[in-house]
Amino acid sequence: MRLILGDCFEKLKNLETNSVDSLVTDPPAGIGFMGNSWDHHKGGRAEWVAWMAEVMRECHRVMKPGAHGLVWAIPRTSHWTATALEDAGFEVRDRHGGQV
């Protein structure tokens, strides 16, 4: 295992295709959490989904065939995250829509 520090989108570009065993992530939700710019909605739903899909395409590219991902999303914008994942080529299988 290795830890790579930096902007995920930039670091993903340096990884080989089909080189990652799994994906575990808690991506930004597009709600401006505590006023942080990294969680900005990018201009609205369509813009945020397009941006997240671009990041997730890189994740999909580096993952080995058959690899699975665990992607956390808050209920308020989980549909945005699911749409971005599907647009990136992922198959969304299990989704828990309620709070635990």
Side-chain angles (χ1 to χ4, degrees):
M1 178 184 352
R2 78 181 157 150
L3 177 64
I4 301 169
L5 180 61
D7 181 296
C8 74
F9 193 55
E10 295 305 315
K11 297 298 181 177
L12 281 165
K13 292 176 184 178
N14 297 321
L15 295 178
E16 292 181 35
T17 299
N18 300 330
S19 64
V20 175
D21 294 310
S22 65
L23 170 68
V24 179
T25 186
D26 181 4
I31 61 168
F33 179 71
M34 294 181 66
N36 289 300
S37 62
W38 55 263
D39 195 38
H40 189 265
H41 58 70
K42 312 294 183 201
R45 180 193 180 280
E47 293 83 359
W48 188 93
V49 169
W51 167 78
M52 181 57 68
E54 186 177 6
V55 173
M56 288 299 157
R57 271 188 211 91
E58 278 300 299
C59 291
H60 193 269
R61 178 189 66 78
V62 302
M63 292 171 70
K64 293 178 180 177
H68 286 84
L70 175 62
V71 181
W72 172 259
I74 65 169
R76 187 182 341 169
T77 56
S78 63
H79 57 295
W80 290 16
T81 304
T83 300
L85 287 164
E86 288 178 337
D87 288 355
F90 284 94
E91 176 185 339
V92 177
R93 290 194 180 173
D94 296 319
R95 197 173 140 219
H96 179 70
Q99 294 182 353
V100 179

